[in-house]
Amino acid sequence: MSNLVLKYTVDAEDFTRAGEASSDVKGKLKRMGVPPDAVRKVAIAMYEGEINMVIHADGGEITVEITPSQIIMILADKGPGIKDIDKAMQAGWSTASENVRALGFGAGMGLPNMKKYSDEMKIDTVIGVGTTVTMKVNI
Amino acid sequence: MNVNELIEKAGFKPLNVASGDREISGVYNCDLMSVVMSKGFPGAAWVTIMANINAVAVAALTDMAVIVLAEGAALDEVMIEKAKAQDIHVLQSDKPIFETSLEIYKLINNA
Ligand SMILES: Nc1ncnc2c1ncn2[C@@H]1O[C@H](COP(=O)(O)OP(=O)(O)OP(=O)(O)O)[C@@H](O)[C@H]1O
Ligand SMILES: [Mg+2]
């Protein structure tokens, strides 16, 4: 059986749609009968990545590949890049603006959540070019 | 206790009633989305003042049973649209977060 590949465009202009890609993937995995624990891990990890693309970058593209043993999420943006990944990975570290904080974001917990809920995570970032986060969740 | 019973007994104002009733498994409080993503649990009654669209997305992704907006948090039309689309129960309470949560806690635990 060939792997299922899903593609989403994340629009940074439209905050009202943030989370739609994650929600769509969650629904599909559930219907496919993927175990609830893996679905939850994907939902959390992907939502945090999707929101980061909206609030810290200019949106971007998400590709999700579903294989019999793994769910692979690739989140690619053309945002400002991450200057100091070690700092960004620290719980509580955030550069979120006041506007975004007023909506409940900016706890500095997104990247730590992504690390915690994925089984593998890799960040490729170039200042001024963009960031690609690859996460894998085992089924 | 399910959401429809909660509406009846606590007298919270229903802002969106979803299609299926949900059993409430416990009460949860937090206003930071990334913390809620990780600690919000299936079936929770989430008492918050975050009356925005992202709260609906987070409640849906974590399978919470109902969002209860405390302090009479302002109703946001876009949020209600999203709640309808995602089929999430949203209620409104005039009381602060603690009193609202305690009331739900007592009701679901018959305390
Ligand atoms: N895609 C990205 N592009 C550029 N910078 C990013 C990106 N993702 C994260 N960052 C940077 O890393 C910091 C930490 O990210 P993290 O998701 O952990 O916290 P946050 O988004 O600020 O707050 P929270 O996720 O708790 O709402 C961000 O404040 C931002 O400076
Ligand atoms: Mg974040």
Side-chain angles (χ1 to χ4, degrees), chain A residues 48 52 56 77 81-82 88 93-95 105-112 131, chain B residues 34:
Chain A
E48 295 289 6
N52 279 354
H56 304 300
D77 69 57
I82 303 174
W93 199 86
S94 173
T95 62
F105 297 105
M109 288 306 297
L111 285 170
T131 302
Chain B
S34 307

Side-chain angles (χ1 to χ4, degrees), chain B residues 53-100:
Chain B
I53 193 149
N54 306 292
V56 176
V58 166
L61 285 165
T62 52
D63 288 322
M64 292 199 269
V66 54
I67 302 175
V68 184
L69 297 176
E71 302 275 9
L75 175 143
D76 172 340
E77 273 308 317
V78 188
M79 179 185 177
I80 296 306
E81 281 310 307
K82 180 92 170 182
K84 285 203 176 88
Q86 299 257 2
D87 209 27
I88 296 291
H89 292 281
V90 184
L91 313 180
Q92 189 189 47
S93 154
D94 292 334
K95 295 182 190 135
I97 292 182
F98 178 74
E99 278 83 350
T100 304

Side-chain angles (χ1 to χ4, degrees), chain A residues 114-135:
Chain A
M114 289 155 74
K115 175 97 188 149
K116 181 174 169 196
Y117 290 98
S118 60
D119 292 297
E120 234 180 274
M121 175 165 124
K122 187 170 73 118
I123 301 177
D124 295 301
T125 188
V126 179
I127 298 302
V129 177
T131 302
T132 298
V133 181
T134 306
M135 294 182 286

